[in-house]
């Protein structure tokens, strides 16, 4: 009787191991999750870990980050990436319907806009009042409001740049009121538009 219990337990353990490790010959496979690689699928893309304050409001966790493909003036960034970081679940599709997408965001959504004037990595690009080659323009604003705040000092540094795929980097900037410091991973959103 004791041997029978041991054998049943062994078979049960073997079945669990077999299913977990090799699928026991099952022909069903699950496709890998690639939603974080490209926002075009309609799912959330990108990520960031940024702390500080936008004015007097603490920066909320960033749940989506995109590198847009349709800035108003491509030369404005000196060929570097034009990025948006969002505190609410915004998809690539949401920002690909034209430049008026800000009006469709939930009220209070925190948005950071980064125009990085280089594709070079490991070189701090200083914050500037205006976007251009070898400078960064960093702004924050809240959805449903027209005003923005622009960084007055600090820098953005790309740590990884893969054209048409993703841009990673660090940010350490100061605004007239508030500051932001941290890292970002923004995925390519080919149809994404600059806000109007």
């Amino acid at each position: 009787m004791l041997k029978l219990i041991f054998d049943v337990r062994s078979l049960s353990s073997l079945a669990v191991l077999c299913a977990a490790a090799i699928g026991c010959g099952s022909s069903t496979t699950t496709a890998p999750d690639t939603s974080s690689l490209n926002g075009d699928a309609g799912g959330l893309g990108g990520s960031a870990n940024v702390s500080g304050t936008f004015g007097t409001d603490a920066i909320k966790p960033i749940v989506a980050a995109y590198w847009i493909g349709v800035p108003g003036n491509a030369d404005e960034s000196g060929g570097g990436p034009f990025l948006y970081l969002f505190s609410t679940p915004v998809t690539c599709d949401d920002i690909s319907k034209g430049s008026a997408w800000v009006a469709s965001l939930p009220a209070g959504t925190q948005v950071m806009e980064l125009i990085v004037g280089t594709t070079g990595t490991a070189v701090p690009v200083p914050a500037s009042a205006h976007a251009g080659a070898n400078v960064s323009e960093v702004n924050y604003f809240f959805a449903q409001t027209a005003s923005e705040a622009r960084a007055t000092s600090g820098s953005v540094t790309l740590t990884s740049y893969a054209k048409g795929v993703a841009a990673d980097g660090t940010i350490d900037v100061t605004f007239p009121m508030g500051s932001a410091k941290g890292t970002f991973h923004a995925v390519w959103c080919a149809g994404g538009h600059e806000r109007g």
Side-chain angles (χ1 to χ4, degrees):
M1 176 85 169
L2 184 59
K3 183 168 179 20
L4 179 60
I5 292 171
F6 176 77
D7 289 344
V8 169
R9 286 184 183 164
S10 296
L11 289 174
S12 178
S13 297
L14 181 60
V16 169
L17 287 173
C18 181
I22 60 173
C24 291
S26 172
S27 62
T28 304
T29 58
T30 303
D33 179 10
T34 60
S35 61
S36 66
L37 298 178
N38 191 328
D40 287 334
L44 295 180
S47 61
N49 184 8
V50 179
S51 61
T53 59
F54 289 152
T56 58
D57 295 297
I59 296 175
K60 296 176 185 176
I62 295 166
V63 297
Y66 299 102
W67 169 7
I68 65 165
V70 189
N73 177 356
D75 294 332
E76 187 178 35
S77 67
F82 195 127
L83 317 170
Y84 282 104
L85 314 180
F86 298 96
S87 68
T88 57
V90 176
T91 68
C92 177
D93 288 344
D94 293 333
I95 61 174
S96 297
K97 297 173 182 165
S99 61
W101 53 260
V102 173
S104 69
L105 298 178
T109 299
Q110 295 178 343
V111 184
M112 186 185 295
E113 177 183 70
L114 298 93
I115 307 168
V116 186
T118 187
T119 59
T121 59
V123 178
V125 183
S128 173
H130 301 287
N134 302 312
V135 295
S136 294
E137 181 183 316
V138 181
N139 310 304
Y140 76 80
F141 60 94
F142 298 95
Q144 312 299 321
T145 63
S147 61
E148 70 176 21
R150 184 164 295 165
T152 55
S153 65
S155 64
V156 177
T157 305
L158 294 178
T159 56
S160 175
Y161 176 89
K163 187 174 182 178
V165 179
D168 295 79
T170 62
I171 181 169
D172 188 355
V173 295
T174 301
F175 302 100
M177 283 187 63
S179 63
K181 184 174 185 174
T183 60
F184 60 84
H185 169 70
V187 297
W188 177 244
C189 175
H193 284 264
E194 179 178 356
R195 68 187 170 105

